[in-house]
Structures are given as C-alpha cells and as structure tokens.
Amino acid sequence: MPKDNGIGASPKRREDVRFLTGAGNYTDDINVNGQAHVHFLRADVAHAAINSIDTSAAETMPGVVKIFTGADFAEVGGIPCGWGVTDRHGNPQQEPRHPIIAHDTIRHVGEIVAAVVADTLEQARDAAEAIELSLSDKPAVVSMGAALAEDATKVHEDLTSNLCYDWVFGNPDDDAVQAAFDSAAHVTTLELVNNRLVANPMEPRVAIGDYSRATDEHTLYTTSQNPHVIRLLMCAFVLGLPEHKVRVIAPDVGGGFGSKIFHYAEEAFCTFAAKACGRAVKWTSTRAEAFISDAHGRDHVTKIELALDADNNFTALRTNTMANMGAYLSTFSTSVPSYLHGTLMAGNYKTPIVQVNVKTVFTNTVPVDAYRGAGRPEATFQLERVIDKAARELGADPIALRRQNFITEFPYETPVALTYDTGDYVATMDKLEQVADVAGFAARRAESEKNGKLRGFGINCYIEACGIAPSNIVGMLGARAGLYDAATVRVNATGSISVMVGAHSHGQGHETSFPQVVADMIGIDESMVDIVHGDTGRVPFGMGTYGSRSIAVCGSAMVRATEKIINKAKKIAAHLMEASDADIELKDGQFTVAGTDKSVAWGDVCLTAYVPHNYPLEELEPGLEETAFYDPANFTYPAGAYACEVEVDPDTGKVSIERFSAADDFGNIINPMIVDGQVHGGLGQGIGQALLENAAYDEDGQLLSASFMDYAMPRADDVPFYQVDHSCQTPCTHNPLGVKGCGEAGAIGSPPAVVNAVIDALQSGGKDVTHIDMPLSPARVWAAMNG
Amino acid sequence: MYEFEFEKPSTVAEAVAALADEDAQALGGGQTLIPTLKQRLAMPSKLVSLSSIPQLKELSDNGGMLTIGGAVTHAEVAAAAADSYPALADLASHIGDPAVRNRGTIGGSLANNDPAACYPAAALGSGATIVTSTREITADDYFRGLFETALNEGEIITAVRFPVPEKANYQKFLQPASRFALVGVFVAKYAAGVRVAVTGASEEGVFRWHEAEAALDTSFAPDALDGLSVDAGGMIGDMHGTKEYRAHLVGVMTKRAVAAAG
C-alpha cells in the first residue's frame, strides 16, 4: 500500500500552487524603491585588445547615472575558481585573473566591456550604443586542438600556454597500462565528442544590488542555487566585504541545472554599483545574453580504449580527453573534467586498471562549468559507448557483456579512488529487462520495418557519485570549500516547525519532501512543517544545491537537528510525566512512558519549552531550536540501467524515441512522485543532448546557435512517455536516511542509451555505422547512413 | 526597442497614407517584426498597424477561388479553409505555435518572405494572386529571393486569392530548433497542370521545381519522381543540414506530398 504521508508518500508538491497560479516570487518580480537599471555592453568579438573606451558622449545621455568600465574594478578581486587541480607533474593549474569587466583584453563574445547604469533600461541601452570602443582584433582561439598547438595564440598572455592542466588519474604508470593493452585479446577504441550545451533554465539570471547607507549593509537578490556560497565568494574574494554586512537572497528560482551554482560577474557588479551609485541596481538577463554569459556545459573531446581478455572480461581502460574551460575558470570548472569525471571512469564494472588523462584548455569561448551531471555524463557516455562498440566487434550481447563485468561485491574500491558502499547492478539490469520488455523488442522491430523504419534498441548502465562530500577528502583533491550542509529546526511554541535549510530548492520540490521527513520523525502532520531556504539572513549557513546532494547532505543535517529536538523534547516530556527520559517513547506525535498509559502530546511539550512554568530550568534551557551541520562520510552512489528504443526514418535520418525505460537504485526514497519527476526531467535533458542541443562556435568564436532559432531544446513531442522504476533500493550505508540522490541520474544515464539505440537501428538496416557524434540530428544521421 | 510613432488606421487608404512617411513600417501580426524591434535590429519611425482594417479581415470562398484578407491570421485560415482547401488549412495549422497562429497573418508572412516560411510555398504552389493596395501580382512574379518581394515601399497586401486545386498537400521537414521548414514542399494538382513549390531549401528563397512538375503532369504518383533531384549547388547549407541534405529532402518531401495528396 502506498503511504499517504511521511517518508515514502507522494503528496503533491505544495510549492506548485504558487508556481502554477502566478504567485511565485522570482528575482525579477522584486523591485527596490528607487532602483536604477544596468545594461551591460558585451563584446561582439571573441578576442581583441581594448585600446580605449570613450564613454564621454554616453555619459551625457538622458537618465544615465554612471558608466563603469574595467578600470573601475581594478582595485577589487577577480572571480575566484573554487577548485585547484594539481597536474601530473605536481604543478598547480594555470589560473588567470577573471575580471568583473574586461580590462585590457576581450576574451570571449559576451564578455562585459562596459556597464551603463541609468534610470530606465531603455536609457541604459541607448547610452551603451553611444560608447566608443577602440579594439585591435586578435586571432580567436576556438578549437581545443588548435589551442594546444605550439604556436597557438594565447588566450591569456600572462600564462605559459592555453593548457590549464594536464592531469592523470587512476593508474599513472604508462608502461603498466600499455602492457595491459599489449596483452589484451581484444581492444576497442572510440573517438567521440561530448557536445557543448547551454543550460537554458526557463528563468534567465537576474541580480539586484541594494545598499543601505544607514547600516552599511548590502543586499544582493540573485538567481542562485547556493546563496551562502555566493556571499562567501563575493565577500572574501571579489569585493572584500565582511559577510555580516552582506545578505544574499535567492527567492524562487526557475531552474538552474548547474548554471546558477557559479558566482557571476553581474552579481558582484550590482552589489558594487549599488553603493557606488547610491541606488539599487537591477539587471535581468535577456535570453540572448544568457546564451553568451551563462556558463556552458560539457564540451569534451575524447579517445577511449577498452582492453578485454579472451573471455570478454574488461582488463584495462584508458582515456584521453581534452576539456574546454572557455576563456576563464568559472567557479567549479576545473573540478568537472577531473574529479567529477575521472573518478567515475570505472563505472559499474570491475575493470582492474583504469587510466584517465585529461587536458583542460583555454579558448576564446564562454566559460564552461558544471551542467546537470557535471563530469559524470561525460564519463558515462564514453564508457557505455565503448562497451557497446566492443560488444558489436566481439559479437557479444551488450547486456550479457555488461553483466559479466559488473561489480557484485560491496564495498568496492575502484582503481579511481572511490569506494562504492552499496549497490546491486544485477538487480537494476533484471528490472530494466522487465520494464523495457526486452523480450518483445523483436516483434516491435518487425512492426517498424513493415512501416519502412529502422528500429534500434540501446542500453547503458550508469553510476554517479552524489552527495558531494566529504570535506576532508575533497579538500585533499583541491576543493577550496567544505561540502557539508546545515539545517536549523525551529519549533514554535504551538508545535509548528520552521526548518532553515542550506539547500536551495529551484525545481526539486524540497518544500514538500523535506517536511515529509521531519513530520515523519515526530509523527505530526506535514502541514505543521515548513522549510525556509534561499536567504543568508534567515538560514544560518549552507552550501546549496548541486550534485544531487540536497536530501543526502542537507537532509541528513535536518535529521540530525530533528534528533536533537526529539532528545530535548523527550527530556521535557519526562519532566512533565515525572519519568526517566530513557523511558520516553515518541510515536504519532505523542510522548509516552514505556509500560504505562501516561502520555503527553507534542504540542504540550513545545508549549512547555516556551512557557517553562513547570520545567527543569536548572538542567535544560528553555526553547526548542537546534542546528546541525552534517559532513558525509562518503559520496553516495546512485546507479541504474537505462534502455532506449528508437525508430530511424531511413529517408530523412530523423530519429524518434519510441520507448525509454529507466531502472534506478536511489536507495531509500522520500517522495516517489518527486523522484519520478526528477528522472523525467533528467531524461529530457539527456535526450536533448543526444538528439538536439548543440552550442556550436564558428572559427571566429561566434556562437552559431545563440538563440532558440538555432539551439534546439527538447520539447514535449521529442520525448516519449517514460517507464521509470526505482523499486531496486540498496540504501546508502552512511547517511541517516539511506538516501542517494536522484537529480542528475536521468541526464547522466540517457545519452549513451539513445546513441547506442540509433547505432543498433542503423546496423539493423545494413549500414556500417559505428558512431555518430551528438547531437544525432536528422542531417548527421542521414550523412552517416550515406557515407 | 527604439521609440516610434504608432498609427492604427481603419481603411486601406489611411494605411497607405500613413505609410508614406519615410521609414514607416507596416505591422501585421508582429510575429517577426516585434522580436526584431525588441532586439533593436530595426528602427522604424512609425508603425502602421493593419489589424483594425475590416477589409483586410475578409475571407471568401467563391466556388473554386478562396480569397483571404491580408490581415487574416493563420488560425483563422486553418479554421476557414478546412473544407474548401484542406491542404492550405493544414499548412496554416502547423505554422509556429498557437500564439504565433493567433497573431501572425498571411499578409505579414508573404510580405516578409522568410526563406523558411510556409505560406510562400502555398502561394507559389497554388499559383495564387497577391492583391495589393495598388495592383495584382501573380505568385510567380511576386517572390524575388530571400526576404525580397515585388512589393514597393508602402504597398500593402490586401488579399491573397488561391485557386483551389483538385488535390494538394504540404510536407514540412522541421528545422529542429526553430521548427521553421528545413525543407517544405507544397504540391498542387490543377486541371492546367501540377505545381510544386519548395521552401526552406534554396539560397534564392521559395522556388518551383519545374522538373518535378513535368514528371507529375505525366503521372501524379510518387514514383514518377524517381531519378529526379534538385541541384545541391543552390541549396542552403548550415549547422542544421548541408546543401546535399536539403537537396535530398526536397525529393523525399515532394514524394511524400504527392503520396499524401492521393
């Protein structure tokens, strides 16, 4: 029987009432009295020296408050990178200065060259057109291969080259790895591109800076996934402000997908400019600006080699990847192709030798950073594609080949640093075969062929490391921040509860699922519990939402804080019932004394805590509020198996996804409906990457797909009705809820299934096609079919 | 957008007078012009809305001749032509999305002549007559290349007259992002002969595929087109498809249109 409340139930999302009825409070809905508007003059060339910027005519234009250029920011810091990677020789990554406004050089189309603050946005735009720029164009460095050439133009003159770092992970012994390949019975090699993507959340970024002369306090309203992180980075590294004078508020946020993790120049600008102008300063990104200023995702070029013995056991894996950083290092950019990618290269398989080589490269393009999955999709895609190719070359069944090489014993220490605590890849594959109706595929293929279509079936497995975590480990790997989270449970006098959480909800449904946990622990109705999030002025601390970490890390902190509340409440109850606190039990919101009929209700205990007339004041403080910080002992390891069935129109190359099935192991689940939704959304984005989305640059560094006219987002009719199953559950062994996280799985696990299915379809039609780079647009599929 | 004057005349004559000003611009449904203005890519001194001129909203079916006022929306065409000219109604019902179809107009689309728009294929494929504030122009004379037409400055499309064919069909292969036509082919069979008009594909905009017309005059069946192809040389090549791919799709979509026309 499905539960109707508490952990495991699927109450409808309470936040949807305001989202669906137009009552949401997004950053752009906020208007501060007396605010001015900023328009950013952005570079329309990819690489140029700035000779001069003449703002004199613009400054006389109507409504102009102040015009800022790079010189105004000479005294403040640059935007910091949050992760320092050490290269194969023990050297630190090359880390260029990342200015708020370009100072002497433009390094990508979209970079801010000047900022005009005016009474109205239209006045600011008018004035920006009157700014005279004198530029000397430089050659644009666009392709990574060209960027690494000996004589390449440098994106940053003060660096030694365009190489950010050259990193090796896993087994660093080239000879030993080569020996494994030399002795292999079969080696499969695949070269592929993981296409650059633009996150495109429905809500573009917005920032409003406000400053109080009375209190010397700054307020930044921003579209962020982690307001405390923004406050820390902006205060400590960019503007040099004390944190207690800065409040960052991220109200309702309309999707992030990673792109709103990072600290952006516009946030620091609006905070800085509000004080400089003596007025609040507001910026709302247009969609056109978003394409050239939001951090992009993916953009890897990889060669992967898989060695197998005569019995088809995987014996070694070696990868060589170039990963694009763009022109500057965005907040978590350097961690994505290294520790969020290399650590996952073992996948679900017991390959004994794994070597991961990654070169990260500066180019004159928009900075690249985490996008839903962040490194793990790139790892999964290449691994699951090369396994599929190996199966074809060997004439092996792709499911059987995977099963044969599955890790089956846990905990399992991989050759790439992680220790998987738990999992059951056989069970998820069994479930997938059932959900995907593998047995019925032959009949479905025959039916498609009758209609002149090629039908293909593709599967893949995935594993991800979520709940990032633990601070001491990530610190050793170069993280410049802790990765715990925090929660404060504030019980009010009448028993209702506000939980201040460090995680930010921007589509994940925390406002529904988090109260389910607290209400379940106490045994009260969920309507008595609300969460508070997205405001450094109301939430004590937090590290925010990314990496499928909210329930696993912040949820654990919330559980710990709630446990403290319950322990204290039991002491109060024991006092009221004149019993020992060891004998107090809490069930359904009633405290009882074991073995007696004595009881006191939750509400009475709460009231006593705040009206302590009959209270052990000498032993216990009044009030009922507790905070917990939780630093996880390990990552969590959601895993699963996905299957995609496609039809390919041989006349046009058009791919249509007919079925998509997912069998996920997310450990314990708080709200199955929300988990379904998270998987659906992730699958949509993964299918988008596989079939549609492509941030393509021309050789001059102009983004060709800089609007929805050319950048293809997945729409409802591009995706099928999904079969999603998460009944396989191996609970996480090291967090109190046994949860693993589910936000990124769909985006990580779906692209290889789609591509594997298309290759299967083409091969069934007699086409000798072994790989097509994403997106598998009709034109690309047709070209592959027609050699 | 930049500042502009705005007029909303109620007769064609008033509209023509209003458009006489230098840099005045006619505004139909605004589905292209308004986004262009928002991006500051156009700076008209005055916008003259054509949406309140009753004459331009007229629609008539005169037994084999469908006349559609220049300010009739795509949604209105989809509804009004469903029985009289189903292929045209079907085309109109698949332009853009519901918001576009309820604002965008046939006159606006034909005046803009986007090389990937649908209506140019219908007008050219039907041998339609473009009726303007000053004259009548045959479709064969009207389309002059990308975003180029025979219209003079200040000339307004008041109506489009479509002779209703015996059979017709429009097949559109979508550009994945914009969902405009990557290639769209309108095939119409008249007593006088078959017309085949192709949109989306050519660097010269909408065009008639005369070879296909001749073959279909002989036999109105998909296999009549076997062995025929358009020259890839003049096709558009971009990130959504090479010249060769578009040339190939012209053949595929034409066959499908003939098959669907029955």
Side-chain angles (χ1 to χ4, degrees), chain A residues 35-292:
Chain A
Q35 73 191 6
H37 298 264
V38 59
H39 174 76
F40 293 109
L41 178 64
R42 294 181 184 274
D44 59 5
V45 296
H47 199 189
I50 302 173
N51 304 321
S52 65
I53 303 176
D54 182 355
T55 61
S56 55
E59 277 162 8
T60 65
M61 302 271 290
V64 171
V65 175
K66 188 167 168 57
I67 298 177
F68 297 81
T69 65
D72 294 297
F73 287 83
E75 301 304 315
V76 307
I79 296 172
C81 177
W83 202 295
V85 174
T86 303
D87 78 0
R88 67 174 67 227
H89 306 297
N91 300 314
Q93 66 193 19
Q94 293 210 79
E95 207 165 326
R97 182 177 164 83
H98 184 173
I100 304 297
I101 297 181
H103 192 45
D104 49 14
T105 306
I106 287 166
R107 295 190 176 85
H108 69 85
V109 170
E111 185 170 8
I112 300 170
V113 178
V116 182
V117 178
D119 291 338
T120 71
L121 183 58
E122 290 299 317
Q123 288 171 333
R125 292 181 72 176
D126 288 342
E129 291 181 7
I131 294 175
E132 301 272 351
L133 279 183
S134 167
L135 305 177
S136 296
D137 285 354
K138 294 180 165 191
V141 181
V142 179
S143 93
M144 289 189 279
L148 293 180
E150 282 281 321
D151 57 349
T153 301
K154 285 195 285 187
V155 176
H156 296 275
E157 284 293 341
D158 53 333
L159 302 186
T160 59
S161 68
N162 292 320
L163 180 70
C164 175
Y165 59 73
D166 177 3
W167 182 79
V168 65
F169 199 61
N171 189 329
D173 183 343
D174 290 345
D175 294 338
V177 174
Q178 186 57 45
F181 277 88
D182 291 343
S183 63
H186 184 83
V187 174
T188 296
T189 302
L190 181 60
E191 295 185 31
L192 52 83
V193 172
N194 201 294
N195 42 324
R196 181 187 275 244
L197 304 176
V198 182
N200 281 321
M202 193 181 291
E203 177 205 30
R205 288 189 295 118
V206 183
I208 307 166
D210 192 15
Y211 174 72
S212 166
R213 207 155 48 84
T215 59
D216 191 32
E217 288 176 339
H218 297 263
T219 303
L220 170 67
Y221 303 89
T222 184
T223 47
S224 176
Q225 300 177 213
N226 30 233
H228 289 88
V229 175
I230 299 307
R231 186 181 62 167
L232 175 63
L233 295 176
M234 185 172 75
C235 289
F237 297 94
V238 184
L239 298 181
L241 298 170
E243 278 171 280
H244 71 292
K245 291 292 191 187
V246 179
R247 178 178 179 186
V248 177
I249 300 173
D252 286 333
V253 172
F257 314 113
S259 71
K260 291 173 182 168
I261 297 172
F262 324 121
H263 180 36
Y264 285 98
E266 294 86 355
E267 294 170 323
F269 175 84
C270 289
T271 304
F272 181 90
K275 184 173 181 182
C277 297
R279 288 170 73 171
V281 174
K282 180 172 185 174
W283 170 70
T284 299
S285 175
T286 63
R287 186 60 64 181
E289 281 181 288
F291 269 99
I292 53 172

Side-chain angles (χ1 to χ4, degrees), chain B residues 106-241:
Chain B
I106 189 168
S109 174
L110 291 175
N112 189 46
N113 191 24
D114 188 302
C118 296
Y119 265 133
L124 189 61
S126 304
T129 300
I130 317 299
V131 183
T132 77
S133 46
T134 56
R135 57 188 168 142
E136 297 188 357
I137 312 169
T138 64
D140 284 316
D141 291 334
Y142 177 82
F143 298 103
R144 300 280 176 87
L146 305 188
F147 300 103
E148 296 289 332
T149 70
L151 291 177
N152 295 318
E153 286 294 321
E155 191 174 4
I156 297 168
I157 296 176
T158 55
V160 187
R161 285 206 303 267
F162 286 92
V164 177
E166 296 166 14
K167 298 173 175 179
N169 187 260
Y170 177 62
Q171 292 287 318
K172 172 163 64 170
F173 193 82
L174 300 178
Q175 194 258 53
S178 68
R179 297 204 169 185
F180 275 69
L182 190 70
V183 169
V185 179
F186 197 96
V187 173
K189 183 175 187 297
Y190 291 90
V194 175
R195 294 175 70 100
V196 177
V198 180
T199 188
S202 168
E203 292 176 331
E204 302 295 320
V206 65
F207 69 95
R208 282 176 68 184
W209 187 12
H210 294 291
E211 272 182 288
E213 291 176 352
L216 293 169
D217 278 340
T218 307
S219 163
F220 193 76
D223 56 14
L225 298 164
D226 286 349
L228 293 186
S229 61
V230 295
D231 180 11
M235 298 291 111
I236 297 168
D238 61 19
M239 66 179 290
H240 305 292

Side-chain angles (χ1 to χ4, degrees), chain A residues 355-427:
Chain A
Q355 186 186 67
V356 181
N357 299 278
V358 178
K359 289 187 169 83
T360 48
V361 186
F362 292 109
T363 59
N364 291 118
T365 62
V366 170
V368 181
D369 206 324
Y371 167 69
R372 201 170 192 169
R376 292 153 290 174
E378 295 89 321
T380 304
F381 183 71
Q382 53 182 290
L383 180 61
E384 294 293 328
R385 284 288 300 125
V386 82
I387 292 171
D388 233 58
K389 185 161 183 255
R392 281 192 190 284
E393 290 172 357
L394 294 164
D397 173 66
I399 294 178
L401 181 63
R402 287 176 169 86
R403 283 180 177 275
Q404 171 184 345
N405 286 282
F406 274 159
I407 295 161
T408 53
E409 291 178 9
F410 298 89
Y412 178 83
E413 191 176 338
T414 73
V416 276
L418 298 179
T419 299
Y420 302 163
D421 62 335
T422 183
D424 189 344
Y425 310 145
V426 173

